[in-house]
Structures are given as structure tokens and as C-alpha cells.
Amino acid sequence: MRLGTLVSRDLARSKRRLLVVALAVAGSVALLVLLGGVSLGLYRGVVAPLLPKLPVDLLKVEPRTVSVGLLAFDAADLGGGLDEGALERLRRLDGVAAVYPVVGAGFPMRAEGGEGFLGKRMHTDIFATGVDPVLVQGDVAKGYSFEDRDDGKVPVLVARRLLELYNTTVASALKKPRLSESAVIGFEFQLTLGASYSRGVPAPDKVTRVVAQIVGFSDHATLVGLTVPEATMRRWNAHFEETAPLSGAYVKTRTPSDTGPVTAAIEQAGLTVDDTAKVVGAALAVAAALGGLFAGTLLFFSAFAIAQTFFLLVAERRMELAILRAVGARRGDLRTLVLLEALAVGALGALLGLLAGSALALALDAVVIGGLPDIPFKPASVVSLSPALLLSALVLGVGAALAGAAIPAAKAAAANPASALRS
């Protein structure tokens, strides 16, 4: 009798017991798919669009804040923090190749425009920072420049994440078409320096109007405003008789391997390295690990249930296994027979779990997204069922079944024909 025929026959004879085991595997796999899909979806749909995509050898340094009750103070206000002296100390750190300051605006500003994209003129307060053109030279569109100009036209960079957020959330809420980078490059609007809808006009005689032109998209640009050349921002601050506040700095290390030591040295200097991505990633990793641990525990109990079931089946088939050995079946054949049965049960349970978990995840996604109003930055999805996740869940489900049947298979292979026939 062929091995496949024996496996089919044994599965049919014990289908009720094995179906219960398969459902246990299915439940574990379904939970694994659901938790993994939600964790991955939240990261891709909600967190990742807000995180800066910086190379490994580029660190974003920020002033350290000191919290007192409900208030937070920049360490620079207390005699330390990020200032020109701190920038010079950063440049002298071992492993640092360059330091690019991020200069803030010490005056209010507002923007007007948008007819070409939104269909009507928009008025809003806006924020801006200045960076060294060397840092962003690869982000400037061909045919444009990102240099300080004193002719009334200012080149600006926009955060690439802002365009992604507009296309994925704002466009649908406003019922506007999505925009490509090439469609936005060259767009011009008016900036009014020294005036604000919220702060008013502190110095009316110094109000200046300039034309801003988008010349590129960058991961180094501020997410909540515009980025202009550093020299431009320093000139504007001087015009309003304001010091050039440093809102941060980018530190480029000589090699990626210098990132760790340089980060430690920056922390020791009383500054903070922006580790938003790391913190969020760690939080999601912990949540995924806890979910995985829970699902893994269920898989362990599924494997235990499979072991118990196959121990009973092997005990019931003791005579049958002894006869197979007596007529020439090898120990390996009997071991393979049991493992193939476990493989079939595990594969069935894992496939059922994949289907059930995917259906639950997609239903949850539809309920959550459908329940959210059409607001800016609304995620397109909170569930992501990647091929890697589905394949991992399938392998784990089948692996749990095989692991549970391993010892019963060894016991089946050790069947002694003589003692079984005597009894």
C-alpha cells in the first residue's frame, strides 16, 4: 500500500479529532495575521508618512528641553542648549564630517496663494526654517537653484512627506486631484514677512512682501512649513533686528559606523538626537512582540494539542504499525507517515487561519476607515497584509503541527512488531 494512500485513510478515519486540532492551528494563525496586519498597517499608513527618511550617517540634533510642571524650557534659555558655540563643539567631535545648522525665524509670516491647485486663494500663517544649500543640493529640481537671492523671489523647499500626506489624505477630503512633484515645482505664492493673522504686525514699517517659488522636495525640509536657504533666513532675521534662533542642526558623520559614537557624544554634550523613528519603531516592535508572544503561546498550545492527539492515534494504531513493520516498512516510513498526517492537518489549519485572519483584518480596516471622517491626514488604511507576514504565519502554523507530532512520530517509528503481536 502506498504511503499516500495510508495517509489519506488515516486522516479520514480520525477526521473529527484532527479537525479540532486544525481549528486550533487556524485560530492561532488567524490571530497572528490580524495582529501583524494591524501593526504593519498602522506603521505604514499612520506613522511612516510622518517620519523623516534620513540616511544612516545623518543625525538630526535638537535642543534638549527641561520640563517644570506643565512648562517646558529650551536648555539654551538656561545657559546651555544649541547655539553657535554648541555648533562649533559639534564640528570638533571625532567622527563628524559636517554640521548644517537649521535657522528659525524670529518674526511672524503669512502666505497667500493657491489658486492654481485649490481653486481659490488661501490665506494662512506659516513657519519657515533656513538650511545650508549644500545639505539639500540633491533635492533641488533640475533647472532651479536654492541660493539666497535679493530680487524679491525666494526659492523654497517643501517636505516630501507633506506631498505624500496631501496625496493620501487631504486631496480626497478636498475632492482635489493628486499632485506629482513635477506638477508642483515652479509654483509661486506670496509671503508677507513680519505680519501674521494670529500675532498681528509687530513692526509695520518693516513688513516685506516676497514671492516664494517651490524648487524641490526634501526629507530635510520642515514638515510644518517652508525651508529657505540659510543665508536668506539670516538676512531676514537681521532685517527685523532679530537674532537667528537655531531650531536644530544636521550632523553628518564620516561613515555610518561613526553614528553610534557620535550620537553618544552629542547626548553627553547636553543635546538630543531626534530618535522619533527609533522610539516609534521600538513601541510598535514591543506591541508586535506582545501580540506575537500571545499568538505564539496559542501556537504552543496548538502544538501541545497536536502532540496529545497523535499520541492517542499512535497508541490506537499500535497493532497496525507493528504489522506494517512486520511486512517490511522501515522505521523512517512510519515516522514519515505520522509527520505527513501532521503536515496535512497543519497546512489545512494554517490556510483556514490565513483566510479567517485576512478577512477579519480587512473587515476591521473597513470599519475603522469608514468610521473616520474625511479629515486631513486620514490614513488610507490601518491594515497591511504583506506577503512576508502571510508566509510567516503559514510557516509557523505548519511548523507548530510538525513540532507537536515529532515525538509521537518517533514513538510510532519505535514500534516493536514482536511485542505488539504478542499483546
Side-chain angles (χ1 to χ4, degrees):
M1 187 177 293
R2 294 182 178 179
L3 191 59
T5 303
L6 290 174
V7 171
S8 300
R9 186 197 64 185
D10 292 341
L11 290 175
R13 284 193 308 179
S14 308
K15 58 184 178 184
R16 290 186 178 178
R17 287 180 180 175
L18 296 178
L19 182 59
V20 173
V21 173
L23 291 177
V25 174
S28 304
V29 171
L31 183 61
L32 189 61
V33 170
L34 178 61
L35 295 176
V38 171
S39 299
L40 190 58
L42 287 175
Y43 180 80
R44 290 181 174 178
V46 179
V47 178
L50 298 174
L51 297 180
K53 301 175 178 64
L54 300 180
V56 177
D57 60 351
L58 191 66
L59 305 172
K60 186 177 181 182
V61 180
E62 299 173 338
R64 179 169 290 173
T65 57
V66 178
S67 298
V68 179
L70 298 177
L71 303 178
F73 301 91
D74 189 331
D77 299 330
L78 305 176
L82 190 60
D83 52 21
E84 296 295 341
L87 292 181
E88 188 56 37
R89 290 191 292 274
L90 288 175
R91 293 186 181 98
R92 293 198 298 265
L93 290 177
D94 185 35
V96 171
V99 175
Y100 306 100
V102 180
V103 182
F107 54 91
M109 67 179 70
R110 65 191 185 202
E112 300 175 24
E115 298 94 332
F117 293 130
L118 302 177
K120 60 181 179 179
R121 192 171 184 82
M122 302 295 291
H123 305 262
T124 180
D125 284 350
I126 200 164
F127 305 93
T129 57
V131 299
D132 191 327
V134 175
L135 176 66
V136 295
Q137 59 185 349
D139 299 322
V140 180
K142 186 177 181 180
Y144 294 86
S145 65
F146 188 71
E147 300 293 339
D148 180 37
R149 298 166 57 177
D150 196 13
D151 59 358
K153 183 172 287 190
V154 181
V156 300
L157 293 174
V158 178
R160 187 170 285 113
R161 289 168 289 154
L162 190 60
L163 180 62
E164 294 172 358
L165 287 170
Y166 172 85
N167 284 332
T168 57
T169 60
V170 179
S172 59
L174 298 179
K175 309 231 181 307
K176 296 294 180 181
R178 294 188 177 191
L179 300 174
S180 64
E181 291 189 8
S182 59
V184 180
I185 297 297
F187 172 69
E188 297 180 355
F189 56 95
Q190 182 175 292
L191 278 179
T192 302
L193 310 178
S196 165
Y197 295 108
S198 59
R199 291 177 56 185
V201 185
D205 58 323
K206 294 185 178 182
V207 172
T208 305
R209 290 178 175 82
V210 297
V211 175
Q213 183 183 50
I214 298 176
V215 299
F217 291 84
S218 174
D219 289 321
H220 308 97
T222 179
L223 179 62
V224 293
L226 307 173
T227 297
V228 303
E230 179 187 351
T232 299
M233 183 57 71
R234 291 186 182 277
R235 177 164 56 82
W236 287 350
N237 278 312
H239 173 74
F240 288 97
E241 299 180 357
E242 297 281 355
T243 58
L246 296 177
S247 59
Y250 288 96
V251 174
K252 183 174 179 58
T253 61
R254 294 196 184 102
T255 65
S257 60
D258 290 321
T259 301
V262 169
T263 298
I266 291 173
E267 296 282 354
Q268 290 177 0
L271 301 172
T272 301
V273 175
D274 181 18
D275 56 358
T276 303
K278 182 173 67 177
V279 170
V280 172
L284 288 175
V286 170
L290 291 175
L293 180 62
F294 184 59
T297 302
L298 290 181
L299 283 172
F300 171 79
F301 283 113
S302 298
F304 184 76
I306 290 171
Q308 290 291 94
T309 301
F310 276 92
F311 269 125
L312 291 174
L313 293 178
V314 168
E316 291 174 356
R317 300 173 189 168
R318 190 165 62 94
M319 181 67 70
E320 179 182 324
L321 294 173
I323 293 174
L324 290 175
R325 285 281 290 130
V327 298
R330 296 169 297 181
R331 294 183 183 275
D333 295 332
L334 300 184
R335 183 182 297 109
T336 301
L337 174 65
V338 176
L339 291 178
L340 284 176
E341 294 175 10
L343 176 63
V345 172
L348 175 62
L351 288 174
L352 290 175
L354 286 183
L355 294 175
S358 300
L360 288 172
L362 294 176
L364 176 64
D365 186 61
V367 170
V368 172
I369 298 301
L372 291 176
D374 288 330
I375 56 174
F377 310 137
K378 176 182 175 180
S381 175
V382 294
V383 169
S384 178
L385 300 176
S386 69
L389 171 65
L390 298 178
L391 180 61
S392 298
L394 178 64
V395 170
L396 287 173
V398 174
L402 291 176
I407 297 178
K411 183 177 179 181
N416 187 325
S419 60
L421 292 172
R422 283 198 301 269
S423 60

